[in-house]
Amino acid sequence: MILAGGRIRTLGRTGLNPHSHLAIAGGKVFACGGPEVMKLRGPRTKVVELKGSAVLPGFNDAHAHVVYYGLTRFAADLGGARGVDDILDRLRDHGRSLKPGEWQQGMGYRTDELTERRQPHRTELDRVTGDRPAFIDERGGHSRIANSAALAAAGITPETPNPPGGRIGRDLNRIPNGLLLESAMRLVADVQPLPGFARRIEGVLKAQDLLVSRGITSVGAAVNRGFADDLRAYEQLARDGKLRIRVNEFLSWELLEATSQLGVQSGFGRGRSRSLSTAAPSGSRCAQAAAYGARRRGSCATSSRAPRPWAFRSRLTPSATPP
């Protein structure tokens, strides 16, 4: 394919001056320049006339919660809610689609956009969720509200202390009001049933659709709970030719012990999935390669040879050739 007659910016010094033509072959940029690029045109080459439109390199999102965002697409959409009653109405409608015993989630409201200028109270959520555990996220991702059933599932009582780095919201009588800030959110998240693997795959695809539509072609994917399934999901999508973005998987330091228990060993992984140390020399193609699952082809995680293990990331790269 040849993109012709545009304003094409490339990376590096050559991008200081725009080019007009770009040739693509095998999923990679083959040539970039002026009208002379048209000499590469073959009998089956597709030519796209840009008519002066701009072409830019793919953007990188250095900190993206890809799986988390994708999974929230199955939750109640609370974006743009103007009041607590609006949130409750949306939760009530969404709850009708859930199976008995399934946890309810909601995502996207902002406290400063609510008429009440406050977070919802657990008892307000209780009115529409009943005994179904419900856990909703404010848009910023640093606070959540749990209903009474979710607090009970997590064993949160008036005597539960605030965890390091977090806070449990309480009424004046010290009874938890449902608000969980920062690390306190994990008290409930850690007892919440994990989504099935198929749901996780579908969530990644939903997130990928949004990223690609915005011109984002690579991400630094932050992970926490369920990281092993995240890696499996990216691996399967890459193997099936459905992974259209490059994913650098960043593991939190508290996951290192669990990672080592997966049987991670260095020197494994190549092609579309690798693990690289951020301390490796720039451009190194073999720095601290590792794998998720010692016997799984094409898997990845962190390297056991890390001088600073928290600095490692796993990288999965879509391949231009079939497996």
Side-chain angles (χ1 to χ4, degrees):
M1 181 171 66
I2 295 178
L3 306 180
R7 291 179 293 115
I8 301 169
R9 297 282 184 177
T10 60
L11 296 176
R13 292 184 178 181
T14 59
L16 296 177
N17 298 311
H19 303 277
S20 62
H21 290 64
L22 181 78
I24 302 169
K28 298 181 180 180
V29 173
F30 187 75
C32 190
E36 70 277 2
V37 173
M38 293 300 296
K39 296 179 181 180
L40 300 173
R41 181 178 184 178
R44 294 185 297 174
T45 300
K46 179 180 179 181
V47 177
V48 178
E49 295 292 344
L50 298 177
K51 300 179 181 179
S53 297
V55 176
L56 300 173
F59 299 118
N60 171 263
D61 188 331
H63 184 123
H65 294 266
V66 178
V67 177
Y68 166 75
Y69 172 82
L71 292 176
T72 65
R73 299 305 89 195
F74 302 102
D77 183 2
L78 306 180
R82 296 306 178 190
V84 171
D85 285 343
D86 191 1
I87 290 176
L88 300 183
D89 288 342
R90 298 187 194 194
L91 289 174
R92 183 185 293 110
D93 292 342
H94 176 260
R96 297 190 180 103
S97 65
L98 300 178
K99 300 176 182 178
E102 185 177 357
W103 281 53
Q104 184 169 22
Q105 292 183 272
M107 173 67 180
Y109 74 95
R110 292 181 62 99
T111 303
D112 58 4
E113 292 179 352
L114 302 181
T115 302
E116 298 84 353
R117 293 295 192 273
R118 63 167 176 83
Q119 297 273 13
H121 195 279
R122 64 173 174 82
T123 57
E124 292 173 317
L125 267 60
D126 292 346
R127 296 207 307 261
V128 297
T129 59
D131 58 1
R132 178 193 302 279
F135 202 24
I136 65 174
D137 297 28
E138 190 174 22
R139 184 174 178 179
H142 295 272
S143 66
R144 298 183 188 179
I145 305 294
N147 70 351
S148 296
L151 292 176
I156 297 176
T157 69
E159 290 72 38
T160 303
N162 291 330
R167 182 168 67 84
I168 300 172
R170 305 174 194 271
D171 292 332
L172 294 178
N173 59 7
R174 300 290 298 167
I175 295 178
N177 59 21
L179 175 64
L180 301 173
L181 298 171
E182 303 295 352
S183 65
M185 299 186 294
R186 297 184 65 172
L187 298 176
V188 171
D190 285 346
V191 300
Q192 191 175 352
L194 288 171
F197 187 66
R199 173 66 62 90
R200 194 175 295 266
I201 287 280
E202 190 175 353
V204 172
L205 291 174
K206 288 179 178 292
Q208 179 176 252
D209 286 344
L210 176 65
L211 292 167
V212 172
S213 74
R214 300 296 193 270
I216 297 172
T217 57
S218 62
V219 297
V223 296
N224 290 111
R225 189 167 177 260
F227 75 96
D229 284 337
D230 290 357
L231 296 174
R232 289 177 53 220
Y234 291 129
E235 173 197 352
Q236 179 168 316
L237 289 170
R239 186 172 57 243
D240 294 344
K242 297 180 180 179
L243 189 63
R244 302 164 61 196
I245 57 176
R246 180 179 294 108
V247 179
N248 291 305
E249 193 81 8
F250 295 102
L251 302 181
S252 300
W253 63 268
E254 67 267 27
L255 299 176
L256 294 175
E257 181 177 354
T259 302
S260 65
Q261 293 174 357
L262 291 174
V264 172
Q265 65 177 20
S266 61
F268 188 94
R270 58 184 177 179
R272 66 177 61 82
S273 60
R274 296 181 296 170
S275 283
L276 301 177
S277 167
T278 55
S282 175
S284 173
R285 300 177 61 87
C286 58
Q288 305 290 353
Y292 156 63
R295 295 181 177 85
R296 296 181 60 84
R297 180 182 181 274
S299 305
C300 69
T302 59
S303 171
S304 59
R305 298 169 56 188
R308 293 184 301 154
W310 57 87
F312 276 80
R313 66 185 188 271
S314 63
R315 189 166 93 177
L316 296 98
T317 306
S319 176
T321 58

